[in-house]
Amino acid sequence: MGLESALGEGYLTTQLDALVGWARKNSLWPMPMGLSCCAIELMSAGDPRHDISRFGMEVMRFSPRQSDVMIVAGTVTYKMAHVVRKIYDQMAEPRWVIAMGACASSGGMFRSYSVVQGIDQFLPVDVFTAGCPPRPENLFNALIKLQEIVQQSSVLDYRNSNEPIIVS
Amino acid sequence: MNNVLQQTVDSLRARFGDAVEEVREFRDDVIVVVGRSAIVDVATWLRDNETCPFPLCEDVFGIDAWTRKQRFEVNYHFFSLTCKQRIHLKVRVEENDPSVPSITGVYPGAGWYERETFDMYGITFPGHRDLRRSYMPEDFEYHPLRKDYPLMGIPGALPLPKRG
Amino acid sequence: MSDKTKSTQDYFDAPILTDQLPPKEKRTKLLQALLDMDPDLSFDDPLENDMILNMGPSHPATHGVLRILLRLDGETIVSAMPELGYLHRGYEKIAENETYHEFITHTDRLDYLQPVHNNVGYILAVEKLLGIEAPPRAQYIRTLLAELARISSHLVGFGVMAMDVGAMTLLLWCFREREKIHDIFDLVVGARFTTSFTRIGGIAQDITDEGLAAIRAFTDQFLARLDEGERLLNRNRIFFDRCRNVGVISAEDALAIGLTGPNLRGSGIPLDLRRDNPYLIYDQLDFDVITENEGDSLARYFVRLREMKESVKMVYQCLEKLPVGPVHAHEPKKVLPRKERIYTRMEELIHDFMIVNHGVNPPSGEVYHAIESSKGQLGFHIVSRGEGHPWRLKIRSPSFCNLQALPMLLKGHLLSDILAVLGSLDPVMGEADK
């Protein structure tokens, strides 16, 4: 490579997208939007057995300003949807959303008057996670898939780089 | 029906006469149907009587019987700590006048249950100090547990934020 | 919200924050109710400063999606107004549209810290309505798993309360123990978290020797592990200072407001339905009803702690006494037949078809059955009209009623005491909001 020989040793050329993607994917700070049963499995994911910190994303921050990915864990009702959206709007870009569990993904088993049938009606979702609730392992699967998405996304237009994916 | 409850029901009958409209028993549960105007007095008597006091109000809830007359029912469960007995009161009200006097003066714990009943059935409780909706948003217009409200709700009744 | 406004009266007459608050007539009912609440404590503050603070519904310490509106005088809480419904999922409406069997799965998600209790409470109400009873072995296994679920629920209540007042380690230790219970459920039930274990007239499947050995292995080491956790807190000055004399409720008030479960027993009233209104096989077990007399957060913590030890005692007794026999009642028209028989016999195939498609069709009538769950009294009131699905199913959830005491408990305390009080009440919003 011409440029690297001109710069001398200790330099490495890469694409900006790849570099930024690599940096972003390894420092994802989740915002746990714990709403119901899935929140308990989300807590289990942080326990000594499952240990979410193995993936470099254990820094659960309850402040939306400090987080990059919102894990919507649980049933979203119409009353709560406004709150979820408000917190999402407060997150700094770039931001991603994981719909954890059947309820957040599609309303799940709660086909009733008060439950939103899938949070993609009011939030852009990147990863849908199956399970009611998903086991912590499946949450890790979703987070690793999200890391892949983040790695592949473009710096200028991260939002439209990828289609949402479903993990199960 | 065991002796203690039989005694309580007999005393209720003797004391309140026609206000005790009906006494039923099913699977050892005793249901006493009480007139609407007498419910506060009956509750007070149940709480304060000597032989078998019922100091704990376990539950207050509505039922939509979906009948032409006396469509709504308000039900009460009281538990006696000394006799370990449970009694179930029932008040029937008409659809065009769904209101039952509040028993929060007797059992403060009934407050939230009456709010829930109001939220779900639209039954009002005169005498309640803070009768707001308990679950649904404050600007919601319907009462979802009524039988004429569909399971999946009425489209547009509850707003969603825009996806944007 | 605002930092400081003037006194309450000024608040009404000339709101300073007109751009943030709607005008008086349009003010939401929740805020209005808070402001109308008559604070019967008087503070010797010449400035009479009031502040409205919104806590939740997304807050790490509100145990889910509880919202509390607080009216503060400096750091002192003048009044508090909890707002529920952010997790209202319409269980009671769903129940009216499903058969009795289908609703078992929904009961898991009611109090999601202890699904087995909800399964058991619901199924006992249905069995009471149908007039059938599960065979003894099924009853023992139900009790066994219910007590394990009580331990796992108390572990969360215990750990989260400790975390809320600053002891993070205990939460991780509690979750380590909880994972072991989840492993047992994985082995015995087939699901680690949402069990759906009970069936009408029995349980989903019989417990294996491997499962029994796993339960025994867990209980053998549990008390030592609990003791470790206990040693972290029971001599801990900070924990005691945060919890002692905080959120005090007298026995009379607790009864009047309708507290049940460990919260009521923390005020000295020995009401425990396992003893007072026995169901399953609790009348054959030997256990103590734990009470503490202080009625503060610390007393409620000690009740939970000691109840776990009682639960371990009960698990041992169940393991010892576990009888041999079938786990399904012989009621072909009510109890789902076994899968292998459905495939080979006509009668069972017909019954399975009828039960799955039309339901079990109990007689008309209404029953109420309550059990002692780890949060308090969990009751199911079922109204049947002879159809396959309930006409009305009312869930008497303990957390809903326990939360009702919150304004009373918080009045006059400091802002930071909310966590100690809320943690000791141990509400679960899935159940409180239904």
Side-chain angles (χ1 to χ4, degrees):
Chain A
M1 297 280 268
L3 188 59
E4 271 169 358
S5 58
L7 289 169
E9 273 188 20
Y11 289 90
L12 185 71
T13 56
T14 176
Q15 281 183 316
L16 185 64
D17 278 355
L19 179 69
V20 172
W22 171 80
R24 278 178 178 167
K25 86 166 191 192
N26 286 309
S27 62
L28 284 175
W29 285 16
M31 151 95 208
M33 191 74 219
L35 301 171
S36 58
C37 334
C38 289
I40 305 298
E41 286 299 69
L42 186 59
M43 281 160 83
S44 292
D47 74 5
R49 163 86 57 90
H50 298 102
D51 195 12
I52 195 172
S53 53
R54 287 179 291 163
F55 304 98
M57 47 180 95
E58 84 283 14
V59 203
M60 297 277 181
R61 285 288 174 268
F62 285 90
S63 157
R65 302 278 186 213
Q66 299 175 344
S67 22
D68 309 297
V69 47
M70 183 151 99
I71 303 176
V72 182
T75 320
V76 184
T77 59
Y78 283 93
K79 198 173 176 181
M80 194 66 197
H82 299 270
V83 182
V84 176
R85 178 72 209 193
K86 196 174 218 170
I87 291 172
Y88 176 77
D89 287 341
Q90 286 172 358
M91 284 166 65
E93 299 236 7
R95 54 194 178 190
W96 293 272
V97 175
I98 293 178
M100 179 180 177
C103 290
S105 303
S106 68
M109 63 202 293
F110 298 104
R111 289 188 63 73
S112 73
Y113 55 89
S114 59
V115 176
V116 181
Q117 305 293 312
I119 60 166
D120 55 338
Q121 291 179 31
F122 63 94
L123 277 184
V125 182
D126 295 285
V127 183
F128 293 97
T129 319
C132 187
R135 297 176 73 103
E137 292 90 335
N138 201 17
L139 177 66
F140 297 151
N141 190 6
L143 284 167
I144 291 167
K145 282 287 185 307
L146 182 74
Q147 284 185 324
E148 285 171 17
I149 288 183
V150 174
Q151 172 74 69
Q152 286 158 12
S153 60
S154 138
V155 177
L156 295 176
D157 190 15
Y158 81 97
R159 170 61 55 219
N160 296 320
S161 313
N162 290 81
E163 287 291 304
I165 54 168
I166 301 167
V167 298
S168 58
Chain B
M1 205 184 302
N2 60 36
N3 289 336
V4 185
L5 273 181
Q6 186 68 56
Q7 209 181 339
T8 309
V9 170
D10 289 346
S11 325
L12 269 176
R13 274 214 168 106
R15 197 174 169 87
F16 295 97
D18 290 343
V20 179
E21 290 167 2
E22 189 189 339
V23 177
R24 273 191 285 150
E25 199 185 353
F26 182 71
R27 309 272 190 230
D28 299 335
D29 281 4
V30 179
I31 304 173
V32 183
V33 184
V34 183
R36 174 167 73 168
S37 50
I39 180 65
V40 178
D41 293 337
V42 171
T44 316
W45 184 83
L46 279 177
R47 186 192 63 179
D48 296 336
N49 78 79
E50 302 272 308
T51 46
C52 181
F54 290 83
L56 181 65
C57 173
E58 286 179 334
D59 210 344
V60 179
F61 61 98
I63 293 176
D64 185 354
W66 197 240
T67 48
R68 208 172 281 278
K69 277 188 177 176
Q70 297 190 319
R71 176 174 165 189
F72 295 113
E73 298 170 352
V74 180
N75 297 265
Y76 303 82
H77 283 296
F78 300 121
F79 189 75
S80 168
L81 273 69
T82 41
C83 318
K84 324 288 187 206
Q85 297 297 330
R86 189 173 281 126
I87 196 162
H88 174 185
L89 300 188
K90 192 189 274 284
V91 176
R92 297 204 174 106
V93 286
E94 296 289 341
E95 184 180 354
N96 49 19
D97 178 26
S99 75
V100 179
S102 167
I103 60 159
T104 44
V106 190
Y107 294 97
W112 278 23
Y113 288 121
E114 290 182 351
R115 276 180 59 195
E116 186 195 345
T117 313
F118 165 69
D119 190 1
M120 293 292 142
Y121 289 96
I123 301 169
T124 54
F125 292 89
H128 194 292
R129 284 175 62 199
D130 178 24
L131 198 66
R132 287 178 290 122
R133 282 187 176 272
S134 64
Y135 291 144
M136 302 308 288
E138 283 167 357
D139 52 356
F140 187 61
E141 292 170 29
Y142 307 96
H143 298 287
L145 273 184
R146 289 189 174 191
K147 286 282 177 187
D148 47 3
Y149 191 78
L151 172 65
M152 288 304 290
I154 293 171
L158 288 160
L160 260 187
K162 281 204 178 61
R163 187 176 154 148
Chain C
M1 284 242 172
S2 72
D3 268 323
K4 292 216 165 168
T5 67
K6 287 186 184 177
S7 75
T8 321
Q9 200 50 47
D10 293 342
Y11 199 93
F12 277 102
D13 295 334
I16 298 171
L17 302 160
T18 40
D19 53 330
Q20 287 180 24
L21 280 171
K24 187 179 170 184
E25 61 273 10
K26 282 190 178 174
R27 213 166 280 160
T28 57
K29 288 179 188 165
L30 171 65
L31 187 60
Q32 195 63 50
L34 179 78
L35 294 171
D36 290 347
M37 222 183 184
D38 185 24
D40 41 24
L41 287 167
S42 63
F43 297 102
D44 299 322
D45 186 353
L47 296 173
E48 289 184 358
N49 282 327
D50 266 14
M51 174 173 131
I52 307 292
L53 185 76
N54 181 44
M55 183 174 171
S58 172
H59 188 280
T62 51
H63 293 235
V65 287
L66 174 64
R67 176 183 176 199
I68 312 173
L69 226 63
L70 299 157
R71 187 168 152 200
L72 300 171
D73 177 8
E75 243 193 300
T76 315
I77 299 162
V78 181
S79 52
M81 187 66 73
E83 163 82 346
L84 286 83
Y86 289 95
L87 194 56
H88 176 62
R89 298 188 273 201
Y91 274 109
E92 293 170 359
K93 190 85 176 173
I94 291 172
E96 290 170 11
N97 291 280
E98 291 198 338
T99 64
Y100 288 93
H101 263 124
E102 283 172 328
F103 194 67
I104 296 172
T105 334
H106 280 281
T107 58
D108 285 341
R109 280 88 180 159
L110 263 177
D111 179 353
Y112 38 76
L113 296 179
Q114 40 146 16
V116 179
H117 267 292
N118 307 323
N119 296 159
V120 168
Y122 170 70
I123 219 69
L124 285 174
V126 176
E127 284 176 359
K128 185 174 174 184
L129 180 64
L130 286 165
I132 61 174
E133 203 170 87
R137 185 172 170 92
Q139 305 235 14
Y140 268 90
I141 293 172
R142 284 177 186 178
T143 315
L144 186 61
L145 293 182
E147 288 309 316
L148 280 176
R150 188 187 307 276
I151 294 174
S152 81
S153 165
H154 277 345
L155 277 174
V156 175
F158 184 65
V160 169
M161 180 189 176
M163 184 185 72
D164 285 350
V165 297
M168 183 77 192
T169 316
L170 196 73
L171 179 78
L172 295 174
W173 289 7
C174 286
F175 265 88
R176 183 192 62 201
E177 295 306 307
R178 224 177 110 82
E179 279 302 322
K180 294 174 188 167
I181 300 179
H182 279 167
D183 282 352
I184 293 173
F185 285 153
D186 222 346
L187 193 66
V188 174
V189 180
R192 60 179 244 121
F193 189 68
T194 41
T195 49
S196 305
F197 190 52
T198 52
R199 298 287 182 273
I200 294 170
I203 52 178
Q205 69 231 7
D206 199 357
I207 194 166
T208 55
D209 289 342
E210 195 189 358
L212 291 174
I215 296 173
R216 197 176 285 278
F218 167 76
T219 35
D220 281 345
Q221 54 91 45
F222 178 68
L223 285 180
R225 297 283 93 78
L226 188 64
D227 193 45
E228 277 177 10
E230 214 180 317
R231 264 184 284 160
L232 269 185
L233 288 187
N234 282 4
R235 308 277 306 270
N236 189 326
R237 177 75 189 277
I238 301 172
F239 181 71
F240 269 57
D241 283 354
R242 286 293 301 269
C243 296
R244 188 179 272 164
N245 293 329
V246 166
V248 184
I249 187 162
S250 68
E252 294 77 32
D253 286 348
L255 205 56
I257 205 76
L259 285 185
T260 45
N263 301 325
L264 183 65
R265 293 194 284 274
S267 292
I269 297 180
L271 172 65
D272 190 330
L273 291 182
R274 289 174 289 176
R275 187 196 60 185
D276 295 341
N277 201 347
Y279 54 96
L280 290 177
I281 47 135
Y282 282 110
D283 48 350
Q284 297 163 34
L285 300 181
D286 169 40
F287 63 99
D288 296 331
V289 175
I290 308 292
T291 52
E292 297 275 341
N293 292 320
E294 289 79 15
D296 54 359
S297 287
L298 197 63
R300 292 189 280 271
Y301 155 79
F302 275 119
V303 169
R304 290 210 173 77
L305 183 67
R306 289 169 58 197
E307 266 186 16
M308 280 195 261
K309 296 175 185 168
E310 292 300 315
S311 291
V312 172
K313 244 165 77 179
M314 278 185 257
V315 169
Y316 274 126
Q317 291 175 41
C318 286
L319 285 173
E320 260 169 43
K321 293 182 180 175
L322 186 67
V324 190
V327 291
H328 294 93
H330 184 67
E331 290 277 347
K333 288 195 186 300
K334 313 283 184 218
V335 182
L336 274 175
R338 308 305 300 154
K339 210 74 192 171
E340 60 273 11
R341 293 175 78 89
I342 297 170
Y343 291 137
T344 49
R345 295 174 189 231
M346 199 60 212
E347 281 293 307
E348 268 83 357
L349 180 66
I350 293 168
H351 288 316
D352 185 72
F353 179 82
M354 294 305 281
I355 292 174
V356 170
N357 284 284
H358 299 280
V360 286
N361 297 1
S364 314
E366 44 191 301
V367 295
Y368 178 76
H369 193 273
I371 64 159
E372 184 77 25
S373 90
S374 71
K375 306 284 183 296
Q377 183 178 341
L378 173 71
F380 289 87
H381 184 101
I382 305 178
V383 182
S384 161
R385 295 206 166 175
E387 294 160 326
H389 47 262
W391 179 259
R392 170 85 166 100
L393 185 135
K394 171 69 170 69
I395 303 158
R396 191 263 182 228
S397 51
S399 299
F400 180 67
C401 212
N402 290 348
L403 272 175
Q404 194 173 190
L406 197 63
M408 197 192 255
L409 293 174
L410 288 180
K411 199 180 275 184
H413 283 302
L414 295 181
L415 186 57
S416 55
D417 292 335
I418 297 176
L419 306 182
V421 173
L422 202 58
S424 73
L425 279 183
D426 192 18
V428 171
M429 294 316 290
E431 175 180 71
D433 284 354
K434 287 183 283 211

